[in-house]
Amino acid sequence: MVRLMKYLKLMFHVSILVLINNFIKNQKQTKIEKRIERYIPDMKHILMWTKLPNVEEEGQQYFITHKCEHINCYFTSNRSLLMDLRYFDAIVFNVQDVSSQSSDLPKVRSTVQKYIFAANDSADNYPVCSPVYERFFNWTWTYRLDSSIPYKFISVYNIHDEELGNNILWENFEMKPVSKLFISSLSSKSAAAAIYLDKCTTISRREIFLNNLKICLEPYNLTVDVFGPCGNKKCGRTSLRSCYYRIRTTYYFYLAFEDSIATDYITKSVLFGYNNLAVPVVLGGAEYSRYLPPYSYLDGVKLGERLTAKLMYEAIQNKTKYYEFFNWRNHYTIKESNVLDACSLCQLLNSEGWLKTRETYTTFRNWWNSNYMERCKAEKRLNMF
Ligand SMILES: *[C@@H]1O[C@H](CO)[C@@H](O)[C@H](O)[C@H]1NC(C)=O
Ligand SMILES: *[C@@H]1O[C@H](CO)[C@@H](O)[C@H](O)[C@H]1NC(C)=O
Ligand SMILES: *[C@@H]1O[C@H](CO)[C@@H](O)[C@H](O)[C@H]1NC(C)=O
Ligand SMILES: *[C@@H]1O[C@H](CO)[C@@H](O)[C@H](O)[C@H]1NC(C)=O
Ligand SMILES: *[C@@H]1O[C@H](CO)[C@@H](O)[C@H](O)[C@H]1NC(C)=O
């Protein structure tokens, strides 16, 4: 019934749109230049300047299927849907294009619409070099907690299935030990650590940390098995998925090293460890203690290679210590969340206060990546300054 109502409402909107469209088409084109009116007062039209990862559908479907609080948003990548670009409530620009400094940008702009920077990947992988993006974006939609519309790759929930949000301050209590039954599922483990590498050289230089860690593990007679295109180990097919069983049955630790070190950048790679009962050893630019339950991982950046290796060895030697890495499971769950969660985008487009506030990222390149000068120079994009 509710679905039907929504459908009828959508059809109503579309028919009004067509009517008004035809009406205006019959008028002189110049009229639009003078006065920009909304077609449908409560529908927010969002133009994806170029295709966004994760948003497959045009129209309202995303907001309906994801059961968003607000569904009066309309995604399109058709730049001429509304005859004039200034009719769109928001225009979303994709980090990959912004970073590759495409010269294809809108020629006209309304002062009330929002230009939004959307990023599904890290600032260090995609620095922005072109100065045209200073004083360009009104909002940002990224994994950074200080974005206008932040999203997460992973979310933590408590036992009441409540999402714990950002910047988690963990309650200080003694965690319950895991059961004997659970412990029995760890009994087949026999090798220290595995990693799946798809990019062999990275900006985070995780391959260097990995080599140092291997050297530090050697005196303990421990090794790291490298799977994927950059390693010599295979688990059936080449995909990561086919490695899940191997990780679960064989390895004590999973090395969840990010391909770039950037503020708040913690991708779902930790889940390959957590979901396969291998304790993650993390390497990245996020303050992990605000994202992951206490004593559920080892932080490679904080500990360094030598201490990481020592703690891995100690946990493998002393099983009581190793099992403690799983105690958090009695109190929390960790799940993958929606990258570029468009429900929050639609919510913000429905927030009067936010809409009325005029704002711009004046030094955008520096906000996104404070090291952008170096990075752009290194990539020989100097001519852009
Ligand atoms: C874009 O929208 C316009 C106006 O509704 C329509 O005429 C055109 O066919 C659309 N283009 C595509 C590729 O769907
Ligand atoms: C972001 O999207 C691009 C293009 O779809 C994809 O290749 C890339 O892996 C994505 N990045 C992340 C961190 O998921
Ligand atoms: C590593 O293996 C060697 C040779 O088998 C052995 O002598 C040494 O004690 C082992 N070291 C540790 C820390 O287990
Ligand atoms: C093993 O670890 C547990 C928990 O950290 C600790 O209480 C115990 O003393 C350790 N045992 C040995 C032999 O080190
Ligand atoms: C968006 O930024 C532009 C460029 O700085 C500015 O002119 C405009 O007023 C801003 N609009 C909103 C709605 O914040």
Side-chain angles (χ1 to χ4, degrees), residues 345-362:
L345 169 64
C346 191
Q347 182 149 356
L348 209 59
L349 283 170
N350 276 285
S351 145
E352 281 306 314
W354 271 82
L355 283 180
K356 287 212 184 88
T357 313
R358 292 279 175 88
E359 55 179 341
T360 314
Y361 281 76
T362 48

Side-chain angles (χ1 to χ4, degrees), residues 17 55 60 83 90 104 128 159 166 182 273 297 299 323 348 361:
L17 193 65
V55 181
Q60 269 184 300
M83 294 173 65
D104 170 35
V128 173
I159 40 172
N166 297 324
F182 181 86
Y297 62 96
D299 187 337
Y323 300 147
L348 209 59
Y361 281 76

